[in-house]
Amino acid sequence: MSTDLRHIQLMDTTLRDGEQTQGVSFTPVEKVSIAKALLQSLRVDRIEVASARVSLGEKEAVTSINAWAKQEGFAGRVEVLGFVDHTRSVDWILETGGGVINLLIKGSEKHCRVQLGKTLAQHTEDVLQTVNYALEQGLKVNVYLEDWSNGYHDDPDYVYGLMDNLQDSGISHFMLPDTLGVLSPDEVFVNFSDMCNRYPKLQFDFHPHNDYGLATANVMAAVRAGVNAIHCTVNCLGERAGNASMAEVAVVLRDKMHMQLSVDESHIVRISAMVENFSGKRIAANAPIVGADVFTQTAGIHADGDHKGGLYKTKLGPERFSRTRSYALGKMSGKASLKKNLEMLELDLSEENQKKVLARIVSLGDSKQTITTDDLPFIIADVLESKNYQHIKLLNCSITSGLDLESTASLRVKVNGVMHVASGSGNGGFDAFVDAINKVMQQHNYTLPALADYEVRIPKGGHTSALTECVITWDCGSELRKTRAVHSNQVFAGVLAALKIINMQLHELGLTQG
C-alpha cells in the first residue's frame, strides 16, 4: 500500500452558497471578517465569496476581500460565481479586483432545454463566448455543471457532449454539484469514477448538498473515486438542508481516509462560532466537532473509565480543536464525574463531603438536567455550610407573579412535626413567601428577622439555565447573619435561604430553652 498521501483541496463557499440559507445575509464587514478567518486562520485552499452582479453591498465586500487577499498573498484563492452573460459577470469581477470566475452552466439536458430553451450546441457556444472573454481578460475560469447529478443520471450523453466541447477550452476546474442532494455514496463513487476515468487530465471538484444527510459520506466516496477538491461550508450553511460541513469533512478526510489537508483544525470551532453569530443560525449542541456538548461525558461510568485509564477517549479529542473535555453533573453523575470536575477547579474534598455534594448534585439534577463546573462552587459552599436541622420542612410551595399584578404564594410546611398550610401576597414572589411563612411561624412565636442584604447571582459567564445562588444577610438584632442556598429557580433559592435562618434560630431557641 502506498504511503504517498494525496492532498485534497477544500473550497469554502460559506459566503456564497452558504448565504443562500433561508434568512442569512452577511454584511460587507461580516463577509470580510469571515473571509480573512477562512484564509488566514483556518487556511482553506480557496473561498467562494459572492455571486456577480447581485448588489452594491456585495460588490463592496468582494472588492475589500480581493484587496486584502492581494496584500496578504492570497490572490487567486478568492472566487466569485458568474453567469453565462458574455462580458457582464466578467467585468463585474474585474471591477472588484478579482482573479477567478466560477461560471454557472447547465449540467443537465433538462435544465438546458427547459430553462434556456436551447440545444447543447447553442449553450456550448454561449459558454465558450463567456469563457474566452474571461480568459482574454486574465481571469482563471472554473465551471459549475449545475444539476450535474440529475443530468448524469437522466442523460449522460448530454454531460459527455458538454465535457467534450469544453475540455480543451482552458477551464481549470470542472465543478460537479449534487445540486439537489439526491446522490448516495455508491452513486457518487460510480459517477465520479466514470468522469475521472473518461477525462483523466481534467481537474474535478465535488459540490455536495445534504438533503439526505449523506453529504460527508458522499465526500468520502468522491475522494475514493479520484476527486481532489471538495466544496463545503462552515456549520453546514446552504440552501434547504445545507452543504457539507467543513468541520466534518476536514476531520473525516484526515482520520478515516488519511488525506493531506491545508486546514488548521485548531481554528475550526472559533470560526464556527463567528459564522454562528453573524448568520444568526444556531448550531445544534450535538453537532459533530463544533457542538457545545460533543466533548461532554454525561454518564458516570464514562467518567469512571476515563479516570481509571482513558477508556472512553478517542482520536477525536477536544484538544485538536482548542477545546477541553468536560464531565456533566446531574442525576446520572457518579463519584468519578465529580472528581473530574473537582480536578478542573483544583479543589480537594474529603470522601464524606464528596458524598454530600454528589447527593445534592443528583437531587438538583431532577430540576436542572445539567449542572456545569461553574455551578459547582455554589453547590459546595451551600452543602458545606448546611446543617441538617429539620425543625421546619417545606413540603410544597407555589409562587405566582404577573406584570402589574401582586405576587402570591401558597405553601405547606411541617414545623416541629405540626402540619401547616398558608398563603400570602406581596411585592414579588419572595415577599409573598415571607408573608405566608410569617403567618405560620407566628403560631410558634417566631418571626423572620429583617433583611439587611439580599444578593442573587449566577456563575460568571453562566447561561440563563445556570444554577442561582442566593445569599441573604439577616439583621438579627445584635448581629448580622448570612444564609446561602442554591436552586435552579432564583425565587426558590431565596426561599431555601430563608428556611435555613428559621432552622438555625429554632435550633438555638430549642437549645436555650433546654
Side-chain angles (χ1 to χ4, degrees), residues 475-486:
D475 185 352
C476 299
S478 60
E479 62 175 338
L480 295 178
R481 305 183 70 170
K482 287 187 178 183
T483 57
R484 176 202 316 260
V486 173

Side-chain angles (χ1 to χ4, degrees), residues 266-287:
S266 66
H267 292 278
I268 283 178
V269 175
R270 182 178 66 81
I271 291 171
S272 167
M274 175 191 290
V275 171
E276 182 181 33
N277 290 333
F278 289 163
S279 68
K281 294 294 182 180
R282 299 299 174 227
I283 59 174
N286 63 348

Side-chain angles (χ1 to χ4, degrees), residues 19 66 100 110 143 178 198 241 244 291 333 358 393 405 450 466 507:
E19 203 175 29
N66 280 324
V100 185
K110 187 175 182 180
V143 293
D178 183 12
R198 190 177 289 267
S333 298
L358 184 58
K393 187 174 183 180
L405 293 174
H507 187 76

Side-chain angles (χ1 to χ4, degrees), residues 212-378:
Y212 278 96
L214 292 171
T216 303
N218 285 345
V219 165
M220 296 177 72
V223 170
R224 200 167 72 251
V227 171
N228 291 316
I230 300 296
H231 298 188
C232 39
T233 62
V234 177
N235 297 346
C236 290
L237 289 186
E239 209 158 14
R240 304 181 312 279
N243 295 32
S245 160
M246 168 65 72
E248 292 179 29
V249 166
V251 171
V252 166
L253 290 182
R254 269 203 175 114
D255 288 8
K256 299 302 179 183
M257 302 193 74
H258 310 294
M259 298 294 156
Q260 289 185 336
L261 303 173
S262 302
V263 167
D264 182 347
E265 295 176 344
S266 66
H267 292 278
I268 283 178
V269 175
R270 182 178 66 81
I271 291 171
S272 167
M274 175 191 290
V275 171
E276 182 181 33
N277 290 333
F278 289 163
S279 68
K281 294 294 182 180
R282 299 299 174 227
I283 59 174
N286 63 348
I289 316 302
V290 296
D293 295 343
V294 296
F295 296 113
T296 299
Q297 300 280 32
T298 300
I301 191 172
H302 293 168
D304 181 64
D306 283 348
H307 185 70
K308 291 176 178 175
L311 302 183
Y312 294 90
K313 294 180 180 179
T314 70
K315 188 176 182 180
L316 197 64
E319 298 79 12
R320 288 174 61 177
F321 314 105
S322 299
R323 301 188 66 180
T324 56
R325 190 176 305 280
S326 63
Y327 296 85
L329 296 167
K331 61 185 179 181
M332 296 177 67
S333 298
K335 286 173 59 179
S337 300
L338 176 57
K339 284 182 178 179
K340 283 289 186 183
N341 281 275
L342 290 173
E343 287 173 9
M344 291 178 198
L345 294 172
E346 297 183 351
L347 294 176
D348 188 22
L349 294 181
S350 68
E351 286 292 326
E352 181 183 354
N353 285 332
Q354 284 187 43
K355 288 179 182 178
K356 291 179 182 178
V357 171
L358 184 58
R360 187 64 185 279
I361 288 169
V362 172
S363 174
L364 285 167
D366 285 328
S367 61
K368 183 177 185 290
Q369 195 168 25
T370 301
I371 296 156
T372 68
T373 305
D374 291 329
D375 293 323
L376 193 53
F378 285 7

Side-chain angles (χ1 to χ4, degrees), residues 13 16 22 43 52 71 73 96 104 107 144 155 170 172 207 221 291 294 306 328 351 357 368 387 411 474 481 492:
T13 183
R16 199 280 297 175
Q22 172 63 28
R43 307 200 70 79
Q71 180 179 331
T96 67
L104 187 67
Y144 274 113
D155 190 346
S172 298
H207 180 100
V294 296
D306 283 348
E351 286 292 326
V357 171
K368 183 177 185 290
K387 301 286 190 280
L411 55 83
W474 306 92
R481 305 183 70 170
F492 282 100

Side-chain angles (χ1 to χ4, degrees), residues 50-56 58-59 80-93 96:
S51 298
R53 300 169 38 220
V54 169
S55 68
L56 288 176
E58 199 83 330
K59 194 171 189 179
V80 174
L81 183 77
F83 307 97
V84 182
D85 52 18
H86 191 194
T87 62
R88 286 183 294 169
S89 289
V90 171
D91 288 346
W92 190 94
I93 293 170
T96 67

Side-chain angles (χ1 to χ4, degrees), residues 107-109 146-159:
S108 73
E109 188 277 334
E146 185 183 10
D147 198 39
W148 165 79
S149 51
N150 281 316
Y152 182 90
H153 176 271
D154 297 338
D155 190 346
D157 288 337
Y158 170 88
V159 174

Side-chain angles (χ1 to χ4, degrees), residues 44 115 393:
V44 298
Q115 267 197 317
K393 187 174 183 180

